[in-house]
Amino acid sequence: QVKLVDSGGGLVQAGGSLRLSCAASGRSFSTFHMGWFRQAPGREREFVAAINWRSGSTYYADSVAGRFTISRDAAKNTVYLHVNILKPEDTAVYYCAAQQRYNSGSYYYDYEYDNWSQGTQVTVSS
């Protein structure tokens, strides 16, 4: 059973930065993609970013491209999301997720992921 534990959220002013972390544990952890999603109050959960665990290729939602960076430390089974130039509309609970079933390289939809973290709150004040 894979367990994901995230951290790093907080309250920050617009224009500020945070680093979110997500550590995976479990016997023989392996994954195709690790992703970050977010959910704001009253809105559906949405894709933020993903990383191919083997190749390191990265993918971003248009709304965060150029401001957020996803990275991984495979030795630590940890994925990071560096969130920069934060805007009030980035306020949400952020979740990391692990994709353990191959799905033709797809990474965008939350139903493609098998394991989820508990979520970390990011609040951006204007």
Side-chain angles (χ1 to χ4, degrees):
Q1 182 71 16
V2 173
K3 182 177 181 181
L4 302 178
V5 178
D6 57 25
S7 62
L11 173 63
V12 63
Q13 290 187 330
S17 300
L18 290 170
R19 188 184 79 162
L20 309 184
S21 301
C22 175
S25 62
R27 185 174 297 180
S28 301
F29 172 75
S30 65
T31 183
F32 292 102
H33 292 98
M34 291 289 290
W36 285 96
F37 290 76
R38 67 186 181 185
Q39 187 167 21
R43 302 188 64 176
E44 293 187 353
R45 186 162 55 189
E46 65 175 359
F47 170 78
V48 175
I51 185 166
N52 182 294
W53 199 251
R54 184 176 67 177
S55 71
S57 296
T58 57
Y59 313 92
Y60 298 94
D62 290 344
S63 59
V64 307
R67 299 188 297 123
F68 291 11
T69 301
I70 188 171
S71 63
R72 74 186 183 328
D73 183 335
K76 296 181 178 179
N77 287 343
T78 299
V79 63
Y80 304 97
L81 186 69
H82 298 257
V83 296
N84 302 307
I85 317 175
L86 282 162
K87 305 175 181 181
E89 52 263 41
D90 294 318
T91 295
V93 178
Y94 285 70
Y95 301 89
C96 70
Q99 183 191 59
Q100 297 190 293
R101 295 165 289 148
Y102 181 69
N103 191 22
S104 302
S106 181
Y107 55 82
Y108 186 83
Y109 297 101
D110 59 3
Y111 59 75
E112 296 172 315
Y113 291 79
D114 303 283
N115 307 98
W116 291 83
S117 67
Q118 78 281 7
T120 186
Q121 176 72 47
V122 172
T123 302
V124 185
S125 62
S126 57

